[in-house]
Amino acid sequence: MKTSSQLNKEERDTVISYESSESHYLLLTPGPLTTSSQVRQAMMLDWCTWDEDYKALTEGIRNDLISLAKTSPSLYTSVLMQGSGTFAVESVIGSVMPPEGKLLIGANGAYGERMVEIAATLRIDHIAMVESHVTPLSPARLDRYLMEHPDITHVAFVHGETTSGMLNPLEELCRVAKQHQCTLIVDAMSTFGGIPIDVEALDIDFVVSSSNKCLQGVPGFGYVIAKRSAIEQTNGWARSLSLNLYDQWNTMEKTQGKWRYTSPTHTVHALSTAMKELQEEGGIEARYQRYKNNHRVLVEGMKALGFMPVLPPELQGPIITSFHYPIGEAGTAFDFALFYEGMKKEGFVIYPGKLTDADTFRVGTIGHVFPDDMHRFIHAVKQVMKQQQGSECVLSD
């Protein structure tokens, strides 16, 4: 990547414009999220998909993913897939299910439900183990389902369900699935890179995530970390041309980094830079600690202002937190649209709620944000609430 002194005037002006917009607002969302200026700068130049340096960049990302997953390259591999995280999830579900296979999907939020929708659209034989959006997936219930349905060959579930902010019990669910000799698919979209996951120790067959989540890149592609023995047997099973996971992987393996179809070159360079930043930060464990500190500052500050989290601490992950609407002292209703616009003017963008049975909104604590940013956020909440409905807030019924 060029240094600032190597850029021409037009490119330098672009850098300046990026830097001047550095603080136009922070994205406190589960992704896309706030990125560093270095990550954004990595997207300023154009690249050729056939270039050997670019292919080497792709291979570097693939190798780094295997390392981050705590897996051996002799047992595990990785493959990148164009599109959003959902594209990557669909590529796995649509490519690794054999024609005679049966899939169990644990669903306690919108993203587990989306996997059910994918399976139904692709006409894959499946059953759904459904819980409420505020109830964790139950390993005991999974065990009963697998005993009652011995024809189930694959199990899929979401690790960090950003509908509520919940962390499902990863180790316990994996253990049960493996006791029943099921192929295991874990959607770690919002957790991989931000929460330590020992993929090999858990014997997970397919882990799915995206460039614009905890690795702190930008949208454009997802990735799959796969057990070699699992992906090698899927040749011919794909239900899509573009989302054929085996063919994408096989092409990257044979060509050392060539994508089958046009790849998101700028996004790839951004993620390469972001992954270097992850290592400079101290790896996943150090990032996990920062995210936990962000979350601690957020929850303590919001509680002090009368905003109560939906989930108890033992179920809550450090990725995104759902809060109940408060009401004013005089019983005035909380207007999220006004609150959102007020917070945006203060420099913060948050997420509306996704729960179906409660009035909530969500605040993310991942990305290139730090505890000081969360302190500033709490101060901004206080100012906006003073402007809109007074400084005293209590929990909504």
Side-chain angles (χ1 to χ4, degrees):
M1 186 172 63
K2 290 182 180 180
T3 65
S4 58
S5 62
Q6 294 173 318
L7 299 175
N8 61 38
K9 183 181 184 303
E10 181 181 355
E11 290 169 337
R12 283 197 302 274
D13 289 344
T14 304
V15 172
I16 292 169
S17 69
Y18 273 122
E19 296 298 336
S20 65
S21 64
E22 175 82 17
S23 60
H24 73 302
Y25 53 66
L26 291 181
L27 288 171
L28 299 184
T29 67
L33 37 68
T34 296
T35 55
S36 71
S37 59
Q38 289 81 10
V39 167
R40 294 194 297 277
Q41 187 176 334
M43 295 186 290
M44 290 174 54
L45 302 179
D46 302 318
W47 307 89
C48 173
T49 58
W50 285 91
D51 186 79
E52 291 300 321
D53 289 341
Y54 177 72
K55 289 164 61 178
L57 201 69
T58 297
E59 284 298 280
I61 291 173
R62 294 181 65 211
N63 293 333
D64 287 345
L65 289 172
I66 295 170
S67 177
L68 289 173
K70 299 183 179 179
T71 54
S72 166
S74 63
L75 297 177
Y76 281 82
T77 184
S78 68
V79 55
L80 315 182
M81 180 63 69
Q82 297 94 322
S84 71
T86 298
F87 284 57
V89 172
E90 183 165 340
S91 77
V92 173
I93 293 175
S95 298
V96 310
M97 289 298 302
E100 70 283 1
K102 186 171 184 177
L103 175 65
L104 182 146
I105 302 169
N108 63 334
Y111 300 98
E113 292 163 2
R114 188 174 296 176
M115 286 199 285
V116 175
E117 186 178 2
I118 289 170
T121 301
L122 297 178
R123 296 176 182 162
I124 291 170
D125 190 10
H126 69 282
I127 60 174
M129 185 182 80
V130 179
E131 300 282 4
S132 82
H133 289 185
V134 293
T135 302
L137 296 176
S138 165
R141 191 176 180 208
L142 175 61
D143 189 46
R144 289 197 301 272
Y145 265 71
L146 294 177
M147 286 191 290
E148 293 168 0
H149 301 272
D151 55 339
I152 291 172
T153 58
H154 292 62
V155 170
F157 62 88
V158 177
H159 179 207
E161 180 53 82
T162 54
T163 299
S164 62
M166 179 181 297
L167 283 185
N168 282 311
L170 179 65
E171 293 185 11
E172 295 86 347
L173 292 168
C174 290
R175 187 179 305 117
V176 170
K178 286 301 172 176
Q179 285 172 350
H180 291 268
Q181 288 85 49
C182 291
T183 299
L184 184 55
I185 302 166
V186 175
D187 176 339
M189 198 65 57
S190 65
T191 56
F192 188 85
I195 296 178
I197 302 173
D198 193 329
V199 174
E200 188 170 327
L202 295 174
D203 199 22
I204 304 172
D205 296 280
F206 299 93
V207 175
V208 195
S209 191
S210 178
S211 60
N212 61 294
K213 301 292 185 176
C214 291
L215 295 183
Q216 297 184 183
V218 300
F221 66 95
Y223 54 87
V224 180
I225 299 163
K227 193 181 292 182
R228 285 186 177 274
S229 59
I231 197 170
E232 284 170 350
Q233 66 180 344
T234 64
N235 188 17
W237 293 351
R239 294 155 178 85
S240 167
L241 173 65
S242 298
L243 300 181
N244 186 323
L245 188 71
Y246 176 87
D247 279 0
Q248 182 91 331
W249 168 74
N250 192 44
T251 298
M252 287 185 173
E253 285 282 290
K254 288 182 175 179
T255 63
Q256 277 127 21
K258 180 71 176 68
W259 301 55
R260 287 160 68 226
Y261 306 126
T262 301
S263 62
T265 53
H266 299 76
T267 298
V268 170
H269 274 265
L271 185 63
S272 179
T273 298
M275 292 179 78
K276 291 184 178 71
E277 291 183 342
L278 174 60
Q279 295 304 322
E280 292 167 358
E281 185 172 357
I284 292 176
E285 184 60 45
R287 182 156 292 177
Y288 179 45
Q289 294 303 319
R290 172 162 62 85
Y291 287 172
K292 288 199 298 184
N293 288 335
N294 288 347
H295 175 259
R296 175 184 52 78
V297 172
L298 171 69
V299 171
E300 289 176 357
M302 291 295 276
K303 281 183 176 180
L305 296 176
F307 291 87
M308 301 305 293
V310 171
L311 296 177
E314 63 270 18
L315 301 181
Q316 177 69 60
I319 307 302
I320 192 169
T321 305
S322 293
F323 292 97
H324 288 283
Y325 282 10
I327 56 173
E329 229 180 10
T332 56
F334 175 75
D335 188 326
F336 175 75
L338 285 177
F339 181 70
Y340 176 91
E341 289 301 325
M343 292 304 299
K344 186 175 179 180
K345 289 177 182 177
E346 292 289 332
F348 301 94
V349 167
I350 59 177
Y351 252 31
K354 215 170 176 69
L355 301 177
T356 57
D357 58 354
D359 290 328
T360 63
F361 64 91
R362 295 174 292 164
V363 182
T365 42
I366 62 175
H368 192 68
V369 295
F370 301 84
D372 283 349
D373 296 311
M374 305 317 298
H375 283 296
R376 291 195 301 108
F377 174 80
I378 296 300
H379 178 74
V381 172
K382 186 183 299 185
Q383 298 307 308
V384 170
M385 293 305 293
K386 282 181 179 179
Q387 296 165 10
Q388 293 182 0
Q389 55 179 194
S391 60
E392 297 295 327
C393 299
V394 296
L395 180 64
S396 174
D397 292 334

